[in-house]
mmCIF file of all heavy atoms in Angstrom:
data_model
loop_
_atom_site.group_PDB
_atom_site.id
_atom_site.type_symbol
_atom_site.label_atom_id
_atom_site.label_comp_id
_atom_site.label_asym_id
_atom_site.label_seq_id
_atom_site.Cartn_x
_atom_site.Cartn_y
_atom_site.Cartn_z
ATOM 1 N N TYR C 345 123.896 -199.409 95.545
ATOM 2 C CA TYR C 345 122.822 -198.417 95.725
ATOM 3 C C TYR C 345 123.413 -197.002 95.795
ATOM 4 O O TYR C 345 122.935 -196.065 95.139
ATOM 5 C CB TYR C 345 122.040 -198.746 97.003
ATOM 6 C CG TYR C 345 120.916 -197.789 97.297
ATOM 7 C CD1 TYR C 345 119.652 -197.986 96.737
ATOM 8 C CD2 TYR C 345 121.108 -196.687 98.136
ATOM 9 C CE1 TYR C 345 118.605 -197.101 96.993
ATOM 10 C CE2 TYR C 345 120.069 -195.793 98.412
ATOM 11 C CZ TYR C 345 118.824 -196.007 97.837
ATOM 12 O OH TYR C 345 117.795 -195.128 98.095
ATOM 13 N N THR C 346 124.495 -196.879 96.583
ATOM 14 C CA THR C 346 125.119 -195.563 96.770
ATOM 15 C C THR C 346 125.729 -195.046 95.465
ATOM 16 O O THR C 346 125.512 -193.888 95.075
ATOM 17 C CB THR C 346 126.223 -195.643 97.862
ATOM 18 O OG1 THR C 346 125.640 -196.184 99.046
ATOM 19 C CG2 THR C 346 126.832 -194.295 98.168
ATOM 20 N N ALA C 347 126.490 -195.927 94.787
ATOM 21 C CA ALA C 347 127.147 -195.497 93.537
ATOM 22 C C ALA C 347 126.105 -195.092 92.489
ATOM 23 O O ALA C 347 126.276 -194.106 91.776
ATOM 24 C CB ALA C 347 128.047 -196.604 93.009
ATOM 25 N N LYS C 348 124.993 -195.839 92.436
ATOM 26 C CA LYS C 348 123.945 -195.531 91.447
ATOM 27 C C LYS C 348 123.237 -194.210 91.804
ATOM 28 O O LYS C 348 122.985 -193.364 90.939
ATOM 29 C CB LYS C 348 122.948 -196.698 91.404
ATOM 30 C CG LYS C 348 121.704 -196.448 90.598
ATOM 31 C CD LYS C 348 121.982 -196.391 89.098
ATOM 32 C CE LYS C 348 120.691 -196.303 88.308
ATOM 33 N NZ LYS C 348 120.795 -195.399 87.183
ATOM 34 N N ALA C 349 122.935 -194.037 93.096
ATOM 35 C CA ALA C 349 122.262 -192.798 93.508
ATOM 36 C C ALA C 349 123.165 -191.588 93.249
ATOM 37 O O ALA C 349 122.697 -190.516 92.844
ATOM 38 C CB ALA C 349 121.879 -192.876 94.987
ATOM 39 N N LEU C 350 124.484 -191.774 93.464
ATOM 40 C CA LEU C 350 125.427 -190.677 93.192
ATOM 41 C C LEU C 350 125.479 -190.377 91.698
ATOM 42 O O LEU C 350 125.479 -189.213 91.289
ATOM 43 C CB LEU C 350 126.830 -191.026 93.711
ATOM 44 C CG LEU C 350 126.996 -190.969 95.237
ATOM 45 C CD1 LEU C 350 128.347 -191.535 95.652
ATOM 46 C CD2 LEU C 350 126.869 -189.530 95.747
ATOM 47 N N LEU C 351 125.481 -191.441 90.895
ATOM 48 C CA LEU C 351 125.508 -191.254 89.441
ATOM 49 C C LEU C 351 124.277 -190.467 88.987
ATOM 50 O O LEU C 351 124.379 -189.531 88.189
ATOM 51 C CB LEU C 351 125.552 -192.634 88.765
ATOM 52 C CG LEU C 351 125.724 -192.645 87.257
ATOM 53 C CD1 LEU C 351 127.066 -192.037 86.862
ATOM 54 C CD2 LEU C 351 125.629 -194.070 86.713
ATOM 55 N N ASP C 352 123.127 -190.845 89.532
ATOM 56 C CA ASP C 352 121.886 -190.138 89.172
ATOM 57 C C ASP C 352 121.940 -188.668 89.586
ATOM 58 O O ASP C 352 121.241 -187.830 89.024
ATOM 59 C CB ASP C 352 120.668 -190.826 89.826
ATOM 60 C CG ASP C 352 120.409 -192.196 89.210
ATOM 61 O OD1 ASP C 352 120.936 -192.441 88.102
ATOM 62 O OD2 ASP C 352 119.720 -193.018 89.838
ATOM 63 N N SER C 353 122.766 -188.378 90.602
ATOM 64 C CA SER C 353 122.883 -186.982 91.064
ATOM 65 C C SER C 353 124.036 -186.239 90.398
ATOM 66 O O SER C 353 124.369 -185.118 90.785
ATOM 67 C CB SER C 353 123.100 -186.944 92.579
ATOM 68 O OG SER C 353 122.192 -187.777 93.221
ATOM 69 N N GLY C 354 124.737 -186.914 89.457
ATOM 70 C CA GLY C 354 125.790 -186.228 88.705
ATOM 71 C C GLY C 354 127.208 -186.419 89.233
ATOM 72 O O GLY C 354 128.088 -185.606 88.953
ATOM 73 N N PHE C 355 127.443 -187.526 89.993
ATOM 74 C CA PHE C 355 128.797 -187.803 90.503
ATOM 75 C C PHE C 355 129.209 -189.217 90.140
ATOM 76 O O PHE C 355 128.469 -190.172 90.449
ATOM 77 C CB PHE C 355 128.840 -187.688 92.035
ATOM 78 C CG PHE C 355 128.394 -186.359 92.554
ATOM 79 C CD1 PHE C 355 127.136 -186.213 93.117
ATOM 80 C CD2 PHE C 355 129.237 -185.253 92.490
ATOM 81 C CE1 PHE C 355 126.710 -184.992 93.603
ATOM 82 C CE2 PHE C 355 128.826 -184.026 92.978
ATOM 83 C CZ PHE C 355 127.561 -183.886 93.535
ATOM 84 N N PHE C 356 130.369 -189.357 89.530
ATOM 85 C CA PHE C 356 130.873 -190.704 89.256
ATOM 86 C C PHE C 356 131.921 -191.070 90.297
ATOM 87 O O PHE C 356 132.934 -190.402 90.453
ATOM 88 C CB PHE C 356 131.505 -190.803 87.855
ATOM 89 C CG PHE C 356 131.921 -192.203 87.517
ATOM 90 C CD1 PHE C 356 131.014 -193.089 86.963
ATOM 91 C CD2 PHE C 356 133.204 -192.649 87.803
ATOM 92 C CE1 PHE C 356 131.382 -194.408 86.687
ATOM 93 C CE2 PHE C 356 133.581 -193.959 87.533
ATOM 94 C CZ PHE C 356 132.661 -194.824 86.970
ATOM 95 N N VAL C 357 131.665 -192.171 91.047
ATOM 96 C CA VAL C 357 132.653 -192.708 92.002
ATOM 97 C C VAL C 357 132.858 -194.181 91.651
ATOM 98 O O VAL C 357 132.084 -194.751 90.881
ATOM 99 C CB VAL C 357 132.167 -192.580 93.466
ATOM 100 C CG1 VAL C 357 131.908 -191.139 93.841
ATOM 101 C CG2 VAL C 357 130.917 -193.442 93.712
ATOM 102 N N SER C 358 133.895 -194.803 92.231
ATOM 103 C CA SER C 358 134.156 -196.212 91.913
ATOM 104 C C SER C 358 133.596 -197.118 93.008
ATOM 105 O O SER C 358 134.061 -197.048 94.156
ATOM 106 C CB SER C 358 135.656 -196.451 91.778
ATOM 107 O OG SER C 358 136.210 -195.493 90.914
ATOM 108 N N PRO C 359 132.629 -197.982 92.679
ATOM 109 C CA PRO C 359 132.151 -198.941 93.669
ATOM 110 C C PRO C 359 133.176 -200.065 93.813
ATOM 111 O O PRO C 359 133.682 -200.554 92.811
ATOM 112 C CB PRO C 359 130.850 -199.468 93.045
ATOM 113 C CG PRO C 359 131.006 -199.258 91.577
ATOM 114 C CD PRO C 359 131.947 -198.109 91.380
ATOM 115 N N CYS C 360 133.522 -200.424 95.036
ATOM 116 C CA CYS C 360 134.564 -201.447 95.236
ATOM 117 C C CYS C 360 134.036 -202.588 96.077
ATOM 118 O O CYS C 360 133.625 -202.389 97.221
ATOM 119 C CB CYS C 360 135.783 -200.836 95.921
ATOM 120 S SG CYS C 360 136.517 -199.540 94.938
ATOM 121 N N THR C 361 134.051 -203.765 95.476
ATOM 122 C CA THR C 361 133.587 -204.959 96.180
ATOM 123 C C THR C 361 134.655 -206.032 96.078
ATOM 124 O O THR C 361 135.667 -205.841 95.407
ATOM 125 C CB THR C 361 132.269 -205.467 95.566
ATOM 126 O OG1 THR C 361 132.480 -205.683 94.165
ATOM 127 C CG2 THR C 361 131.133 -204.463 95.727
ATOM 128 N N PHE C 362 134.423 -207.174 96.719
ATOM 129 C CA PHE C 362 135.348 -208.298 96.665
ATOM 130 C C PHE C 362 135.555 -208.720 95.207
ATOM 131 O O PHE C 362 134.583 -208.738 94.461
ATOM 132 C CB PHE C 362 134.751 -209.468 97.481
ATOM 133 C CG PHE C 362 135.620 -210.677 97.507
ATOM 134 C CD1 PHE C 362 136.717 -210.726 98.345
ATOM 135 C CD2 PHE C 362 135.358 -211.758 96.664
ATOM 136 C CE1 PHE C 362 137.543 -211.842 98.355
ATOM 137 C CE2 PHE C 362 136.179 -212.868 96.671
ATOM 138 C CZ PHE C 362 137.262 -212.904 97.515
ATOM 139 N N PRO C 363 136.734 -209.018 94.735
ATOM 140 C CA PRO C 363 137.983 -209.200 95.476
ATOM 141 C C PRO C 363 138.901 -207.963 95.500
ATOM 142 O O PRO C 363 140.009 -208.060 96.010
ATOM 143 C CB PRO C 363 138.663 -210.339 94.709
ATOM 144 C CG PRO C 363 138.254 -210.118 93.298
ATOM 145 C CD PRO C 363 136.879 -209.506 93.331
ATOM 146 N N SER C 364 138.432 -206.798 94.952
ATOM 147 C CA SER C 364 139.299 -205.610 95.025
ATOM 148 C C SER C 364 139.519 -205.203 96.478
ATOM 149 O O SER C 364 140.556 -204.646 96.824
ATOM 150 C CB SER C 364 138.667 -204.417 94.318
ATOM 151 O OG SER C 364 138.101 -204.779 93.126
ATOM 152 N N VAL C 365 138.507 -205.434 97.306
ATOM 153 C CA VAL C 365 138.615 -205.147 98.747
ATOM 154 C C VAL C 365 138.061 -206.362 99.497
ATOM 155 O O VAL C 365 137.292 -207.134 98.921
ATOM 156 C CB VAL C 365 137.806 -203.875 99.142
ATOM 157 C CG1 VAL C 365 138.406 -202.628 98.530
ATOM 158 C CG2 VAL C 365 136.342 -203.999 98.742
ATOM 159 N N PRO C 366 138.424 -206.541 100.789
ATOM 160 C CA PRO C 366 137.862 -207.665 101.538
ATOM 161 C C PRO C 366 136.330 -207.575 101.601
ATOM 162 O O PRO C 366 135.769 -206.477 101.523
ATOM 163 C CB PRO C 366 138.470 -207.490 102.937
ATOM 164 C CG PRO C 366 139.677 -206.652 102.733
ATOM 165 C CD PRO C 366 139.397 -205.766 101.575
ATOM 166 N N LYS C 367 135.683 -208.756 101.776
ATOM 167 C CA LYS C 367 134.214 -208.800 101.707
ATOM 168 C C LYS C 367 133.541 -207.878 102.725
ATOM 169 O O LYS C 367 132.478 -207.329 102.452
ATOM 170 C CB LYS C 367 133.741 -210.233 101.915
ATOM 171 C CG LYS C 367 133.927 -211.069 100.668
ATOM 172 C CD LYS C 367 133.403 -212.489 100.831
ATOM 173 C CE LYS C 367 133.582 -213.211 99.501
ATOM 174 N NZ LYS C 367 133.816 -214.616 99.587
ATOM 175 N N ASN C 368 134.169 -207.715 103.902
ATOM 176 C CA ASN C 368 133.514 -206.884 104.930
ATOM 177 C C ASN C 368 133.896 -205.401 104.816
ATOM 178 O O ASN C 368 133.578 -204.603 105.683
ATOM 179 C CB ASN C 368 133.841 -207.424 106.337
ATOM 180 C CG ASN C 368 135.313 -207.301 106.655
ATOM 181 O OD1 ASN C 368 136.125 -207.046 105.762
ATOM 182 N ND2 ASN C 368 135.665 -207.475 107.910
ATOM 183 N N LYS C 369 134.638 -205.056 103.762
ATOM 184 C CA LYS C 369 135.065 -203.650 103.624
ATOM 185 C C LYS C 369 134.662 -203.071 102.280
ATOM 186 O O LYS C 369 135.402 -202.288 101.679
ATOM 187 C CB LYS C 369 136.580 -203.545 103.829
ATOM 188 C CG LYS C 369 136.974 -203.785 105.285
ATOM 189 C CD LYS C 369 138.435 -203.638 105.508
ATOM 190 C CE LYS C 369 138.738 -203.886 106.993
ATOM 191 N NZ LYS C 369 140.138 -204.163 107.244
ATOM 192 N N THR C 370 133.507 -203.434 101.791
ATOM 193 C CA THR C 370 133.049 -202.888 100.510
ATOM 194 C C THR C 370 132.645 -201.421 100.699
ATOM 195 O O THR C 370 132.301 -201.005 101.803
ATOM 196 C CB THR C 370 131.847 -203.677 99.969
ATOM 197 O OG1 THR C 370 130.846 -203.661 100.961
ATOM 198 C CG2 THR C 370 132.206 -205.104 99.643
ATOM 199 N N GLY C 371 132.683 -200.694 99.607
ATOM 200 C CA GLY C 371 132.313 -199.278 99.719
ATOM 201 C C GLY C 371 132.652 -198.522 98.453
ATOM 202 O O GLY C 371 132.890 -199.128 97.400
ATOM 203 N N ILE C 372 132.672 -197.203 98.550
ATOM 204 C CA ILE C 372 132.978 -196.404 97.365
ATOM 205 C C ILE C 372 134.358 -195.750 97.506
ATOM 206 O O ILE C 372 134.732 -195.290 98.576
ATOM 207 C CB ILE C 372 131.902 -195.324 97.097
ATOM 208 C CG1 ILE C 372 131.641 -194.474 98.350
ATOM 209 C CG2 ILE C 372 130.600 -195.967 96.610
ATOM 210 C CD1 ILE C 372 130.821 -193.232 98.069
ATOM 211 N N ARG C 373 135.086 -195.783 96.399
ATOM 212 C CA ARG C 373 136.423 -195.185 96.365
ATOM 213 C C ARG C 373 136.315 -193.878 95.592
ATOM 214 O O ARG C 373 135.720 -193.829 94.515
ATOM 215 C CB ARG C 373 137.378 -196.136 95.672
ATOM 216 C CG ARG C 373 138.778 -195.627 95.426
ATOM 217 C CD ARG C 373 139.457 -196.685 94.586
ATOM 218 N NE ARG C 373 140.848 -196.450 94.337
ATOM 219 C CZ ARG C 373 141.329 -196.068 93.157
ATOM 220 N NH1 ARG C 373 140.508 -195.807 92.150
ATOM 221 N NH2 ARG C 373 142.629 -195.953 92.972
ATOM 222 N N ILE C 374 136.871 -192.841 96.191
ATOM 223 C CA ILE C 374 136.792 -191.503 95.588
ATOM 224 C C ILE C 374 138.214 -190.980 95.442
ATOM 225 O O ILE C 374 138.975 -190.976 96.407
ATOM 226 C CB ILE C 374 135.981 -190.565 96.515
ATOM 227 C CG1 ILE C 374 134.533 -191.058 96.598
ATOM 228 C CG2 ILE C 374 136.060 -189.121 96.047
ATOM 229 C CD1 ILE C 374 133.791 -190.550 97.795
ATOM 230 N N THR C 375 138.565 -190.572 94.228
ATOM 231 C CA THR C 375 139.897 -189.985 94.069
ATOM 232 C C THR C 375 139.754 -188.496 93.760
ATOM 233 O O THR C 375 138.796 -188.071 93.113
ATOM 234 C CB THR C 375 140.687 -190.684 92.946
ATOM 235 O OG1 THR C 375 139.932 -190.654 91.753
ATOM 236 C CG2 THR C 375 141.015 -192.114 93.300
ATOM 237 N N LEU C 376 140.722 -187.740 94.248
ATOM 238 C CA LEU C 376 140.711 -186.286 94.031
ATOM 239 C C LEU C 376 141.813 -185.884 93.071
ATOM 240 O O LEU C 376 142.978 -186.212 93.288
ATOM 241 C CB LEU C 376 140.945 -185.538 95.346
ATOM 242 C CG LEU C 376 139.895 -185.646 96.445
ATOM 243 C CD1 LEU C 376 140.256 -184.688 97.581
ATOM 244 C CD2 LEU C 376 138.520 -185.330 95.909
ATOM 245 N N SER C 377 141.417 -185.203 92.026
ATOM 246 C CA SER C 377 142.419 -184.640 91.121
ATOM 247 C C SER C 377 142.323 -183.122 91.239
ATOM 248 O O SER C 377 141.364 -182.597 91.820
ATOM 249 C CB SER C 377 142.131 -185.064 89.680
ATOM 250 O OG SER C 377 140.917 -184.485 89.243
ATOM 251 N N ARG C 378 143.292 -182.425 90.658
ATOM 252 C CA ARG C 378 143.262 -180.960 90.730
ATOM 253 C C ARG C 378 142.082 -180.360 89.966
ATOM 254 O O ARG C 378 141.729 -179.206 90.172
ATOM 255 C CB ARG C 378 144.584 -180.362 90.217
ATOM 256 C CG ARG C 378 145.740 -180.584 91.199
ATOM 257 C CD ARG C 378 146.943 -179.734 90.854
ATOM 258 N NE ARG C 378 146.601 -178.340 90.727
ATOM 259 C CZ ARG C 378 146.626 -177.650 89.584
ATOM 260 N NH1 ARG C 378 146.986 -178.233 88.463
ATOM 261 N NH2 ARG C 378 146.298 -176.379 89.558
ATOM 262 N N TYR C 379 141.455 -181.161 89.102
ATOM 263 C CA TYR C 379 140.294 -180.669 88.348
ATOM 264 C C TYR C 379 139.071 -180.452 89.242
ATOM 265 O O TYR C 379 138.169 -179.692 88.917
ATOM 266 C CB TYR C 379 139.907 -181.675 87.261
ATOM 267 C CG TYR C 379 141.009 -181.974 86.271
ATOM 268 C CD1 TYR C 379 141.553 -183.249 86.169
ATOM 269 C CD2 TYR C 379 141.507 -180.977 85.443
ATOM 270 C CE1 TYR C 379 142.559 -183.532 85.257
ATOM 271 C CE2 TYR C 379 142.518 -181.248 84.532
ATOM 272 C CZ TYR C 379 143.043 -182.531 84.446
ATOM 273 O OH TYR C 379 144.031 -182.787 83.550
ATOM 274 N N ILE C 380 139.036 -181.158 90.345
ATOM 275 C CA ILE C 380 137.876 -181.122 91.245
ATOM 276 C C ILE C 380 137.911 -179.836 92.070
ATOM 277 O O ILE C 380 138.973 -179.446 92.567
ATOM 278 C CB ILE C 380 137.934 -182.366 92.184
ATOM 279 C CG1 ILE C 380 137.806 -183.669 91.356
ATOM 280 C CG2 ILE C 380 136.920 -182.304 93.296
ATOM 281 C CD1 ILE C 380 136.481 -183.880 90.712
ATOM 282 N N THR C 381 136.747 -179.212 92.239
ATOM 283 C CA THR C 381 136.714 -177.971 93.034
ATOM 284 C C THR C 381 136.246 -178.280 94.467
ATOM 285 O O THR C 381 135.691 -179.353 94.724
ATOM 286 C CB THR C 381 135.726 -176.953 92.415
ATOM 287 O OG1 THR C 381 134.400 -177.510 92.530
ATOM 288 C CG2 THR C 381 136.024 -176.682 90.957
ATOM 289 N N LEU C 382 136.440 -177.297 95.355
ATOM 290 C CA LEU C 382 135.981 -177.482 96.743
ATOM 291 C C LEU C 382 134.456 -177.655 96.770
ATOM 292 O O LEU C 382 133.917 -178.442 97.547
ATOM 293 C CB LEU C 382 136.398 -176.289 97.607
ATOM 294 C CG LEU C 382 137.903 -176.081 97.790
ATOM 295 C CD1 LEU C 382 138.182 -174.890 98.698
ATOM 296 C CD2 LEU C 382 138.582 -177.320 98.353
ATOM 297 N N LYS C 383 133.777 -176.912 95.896
ATOM 298 C CA LYS C 383 132.298 -177.020 95.822
ATOM 299 C C LYS C 383 131.883 -178.435 95.394
ATOM 300 O O LYS C 383 130.915 -178.997 95.914
ATOM 301 C CB LYS C 383 131.736 -175.995 94.819
ATOM 302 C CG LYS C 383 131.472 -174.626 95.418
ATOM 303 C CD LYS C 383 130.003 -174.528 95.909
ATOM 304 C CE LYS C 383 129.751 -173.328 96.808
ATOM 305 N NZ LYS C 383 130.057 -173.487 98.209
ATOM 306 N N ASP C 384 132.637 -179.000 94.417
ATOM 307 C CA ASP C 384 132.351 -180.376 93.976
ATOM 308 C C ASP C 384 132.417 -181.324 95.175
ATOM 309 O O ASP C 384 131.560 -182.198 95.357
ATOM 310 C CB ASP C 384 133.391 -180.866 92.947
ATOM 311 C CG ASP C 384 133.286 -180.164 91.599
ATOM 312 O OD1 ASP C 384 132.195 -179.663 91.270
ATOM 313 O OD2 ASP C 384 134.309 -180.136 90.883
ATOM 314 N N ILE C 385 133.470 -181.137 95.975
ATOM 315 C CA ILE C 385 133.683 -182.031 97.129
ATOM 316 C C ILE C 385 132.530 -181.881 98.117
ATOM 317 O O ILE C 385 131.956 -182.869 98.596
ATOM 318 C CB ILE C 385 135.039 -181.718 97.814
ATOM 319 C CG1 ILE C 385 136.195 -182.016 96.854
ATOM 320 C CG2 ILE C 385 135.193 -182.506 99.114
ATOM 321 C CD1 ILE C 385 137.562 -181.558 97.336
ATOM 322 N N GLU C 386 132.185 -180.634 98.412
ATOM 323 C CA GLU C 386 131.097 -180.355 99.359
ATOM 324 C C GLU C 386 129.790 -181.000 98.881
ATOM 325 O O GLU C 386 129.117 -181.702 99.647
ATOM 326 C CB GLU C 386 130.948 -178.838 99.465
ATOM 327 C CG GLU C 386 130.138 -178.423 100.661
ATOM 328 C CD GLU C 386 130.101 -176.896 100.787
ATOM 329 O OE1 GLU C 386 130.895 -176.208 100.112
ATOM 330 O OE2 GLU C 386 129.263 -176.425 101.563
ATOM 331 N N HIS C 387 129.480 -180.799 97.605
ATOM 332 C CA HIS C 387 128.216 -181.348 97.069
ATOM 333 C C HIS C 387 128.219 -182.871 97.104
ATOM 334 O O HIS C 387 127.230 -183.499 97.473
ATOM 335 C CB HIS C 387 127.979 -180.858 95.635
ATOM 336 C CG HIS C 387 127.675 -179.389 95.582
ATOM 337 N ND1 HIS C 387 127.858 -178.624 94.453
ATOM 338 C CD2 HIS C 387 127.207 -178.529 96.537
ATOM 339 C CE1 HIS C 387 127.521 -177.366 94.711
ATOM 340 N NE2 HIS C 387 127.125 -177.289 95.961
#
Side-chain angles (χ1 to χ4, degrees):
Y345 180 86
T346 305
K348 171 70 173 140
L350 286 171
L351 186 63
D352 291 343
S353 313
F355 303 103
F356 185 86
V357 301
S358 310
C360 299
T361 55
F362 180 78
S364 317
V365 293
K367 283 183 177 149
N368 65 347
K369 289 182 180 163
T370 56
I372 52 168
R373 174 187 185 253
I374 295 160
T375 55
L376 295 187
S377 66
R378 288 193 53 248
Y379 302 116
I380 296 293
T381 66
L382 296 182
K383 274 267 166 275
D384 290 336
I385 296 171
E386 196 176 347
H387 291 158

